[in-house]
Short mmCIF file of all heavy atoms in Angstrom, two decimals:
data_model
loop_
_atom_site.label_atom_id
_atom_site.label_comp_id
_atom_site.label_asym_id
_atom_site.label_seq_id
_atom_site.Cartn_x
_atom_site.Cartn_y
_atom_site.Cartn_z
N GLY A 190 -3.28 8.83 -6.15
CA GLY A 190 -3.99 7.98 -5.15
C GLY A 190 -3.83 8.50 -3.70
O GLY A 190 -2.83 9.28 -3.41
N VAL A 191 -4.68 8.06 -2.83
CA VAL A 191 -4.57 8.41 -1.38
C VAL A 191 -4.86 7.18 -0.62
O VAL A 191 -5.51 6.23 -1.15
CB VAL A 191 -5.61 9.55 -0.99
CG1 VAL A 191 -5.24 10.82 -1.66
CG2 VAL A 191 -7.01 9.14 -1.27
N GLY A 192 -4.37 7.08 0.58
CA GLY A 192 -4.62 5.90 1.43
C GLY A 192 -4.44 6.19 2.87
O GLY A 192 -3.92 7.29 3.26
N LEU A 193 -4.79 5.28 3.65
CA LEU A 193 -4.67 5.44 5.13
C LEU A 193 -4.80 4.13 5.88
O LEU A 193 -5.19 3.04 5.29
CB LEU A 193 -5.67 6.41 5.69
CG LEU A 193 -7.21 6.08 5.79
CD1 LEU A 193 -7.97 7.19 6.45
CD2 LEU A 193 -7.82 5.62 4.54
N ASP A 194 -4.60 4.11 7.22
CA ASP A 194 -4.59 2.89 8.02
C ASP A 194 -5.86 2.66 8.77
O ASP A 194 -5.85 2.21 9.93
CB ASP A 194 -3.35 2.91 8.96
CG ASP A 194 -3.30 4.21 9.74
OD1 ASP A 194 -4.14 5.10 9.57
OD2 ASP A 194 -2.40 4.36 10.62
N THR A 195 -6.96 3.03 8.15
CA THR A 195 -8.28 2.83 8.76
C THR A 195 -9.21 2.15 7.80
O THR A 195 -8.85 1.92 6.60
CB THR A 195 -8.96 4.19 9.16
OG1 THR A 195 -9.53 4.80 7.98
CG2 THR A 195 -7.91 5.18 9.76
N PRO A 196 -10.50 1.81 8.14
CA PRO A 196 -11.35 1.10 7.27
C PRO A 196 -11.91 1.94 6.11
O PRO A 196 -12.47 1.40 5.15
CB PRO A 196 -12.53 0.72 8.15
CG PRO A 196 -12.01 0.80 9.56
CD PRO A 196 -11.05 1.94 9.51
N SER A 197 -11.76 3.28 6.12
CA SER A 197 -12.48 4.12 5.18
C SER A 197 -11.73 5.46 4.98
O SER A 197 -11.15 5.95 5.97
CB SER A 197 -13.89 4.38 5.58
OG SER A 197 -14.56 5.30 4.72
N LEU A 198 -11.78 6.00 3.73
CA LEU A 198 -11.22 7.33 3.51
C LEU A 198 -12.00 8.39 4.32
O LEU A 198 -11.41 9.35 4.78
CB LEU A 198 -11.25 7.63 2.03
CG LEU A 198 -10.49 6.76 1.10
CD1 LEU A 198 -10.66 7.23 -0.37
CD2 LEU A 198 -9.02 6.69 1.43
N ASP A 199 -13.28 8.19 4.48
CA ASP A 199 -14.12 9.08 5.24
C ASP A 199 -14.03 8.68 6.74
O ASP A 199 -13.91 7.44 6.98
CB ASP A 199 -15.55 9.08 4.77
CG ASP A 199 -15.76 9.84 3.48
OD1 ASP A 199 -15.89 11.03 3.51
OD2 ASP A 199 -15.75 9.21 2.44
N TYR A 200 -14.18 9.57 7.65
CA TYR A 200 -14.15 9.27 9.04
C TYR A 200 -15.39 8.47 9.44
O TYR A 200 -16.40 8.46 8.71
CB TYR A 200 -13.87 10.46 9.91
CG TYR A 200 -15.04 11.38 10.18
CD1 TYR A 200 -15.09 12.10 11.35
CD2 TYR A 200 -16.07 11.58 9.20
CE1 TYR A 200 -16.13 13.00 11.66
CE2 TYR A 200 -17.15 12.46 9.48
CZ TYR A 200 -17.18 13.16 10.70
OH TYR A 200 -18.20 13.99 11.00
N GLY A 201 -15.34 7.84 10.57
CA GLY A 201 -16.43 6.87 10.94
C GLY A 201 -17.83 7.45 10.92
O GLY A 201 -18.71 6.77 10.41
N PRO A 202 -18.07 8.63 11.48
CA PRO A 202 -19.48 9.12 11.57
C PRO A 202 -20.08 9.60 10.18
O PRO A 202 -21.17 9.96 10.12
CB PRO A 202 -19.35 10.31 12.49
CG PRO A 202 -18.13 10.09 13.31
CD PRO A 202 -17.20 9.41 12.39
N SER A 203 -19.28 9.62 9.13
CA SER A 203 -19.74 10.02 7.85
C SER A 203 -20.94 9.25 7.39
O SER A 203 -20.95 8.00 7.47
CB SER A 203 -18.66 9.97 6.79
OG SER A 203 -19.07 10.35 5.56
N THR A 204 -21.92 9.95 6.77
CA THR A 204 -23.08 9.27 6.20
C THR A 204 -23.22 9.56 4.72
O THR A 204 -23.88 8.91 4.01
CB THR A 204 -24.38 9.79 6.93
OG1 THR A 204 -24.49 11.18 6.85
CG2 THR A 204 -24.41 9.35 8.36
#
Side-chain angles (χ1 to χ4, degrees):
V191 296
L193 74 177
D194 52 357
T195 80
S197 174
L198 299 181
D199 286 276
Y200 77 151
S203 177
T204 57

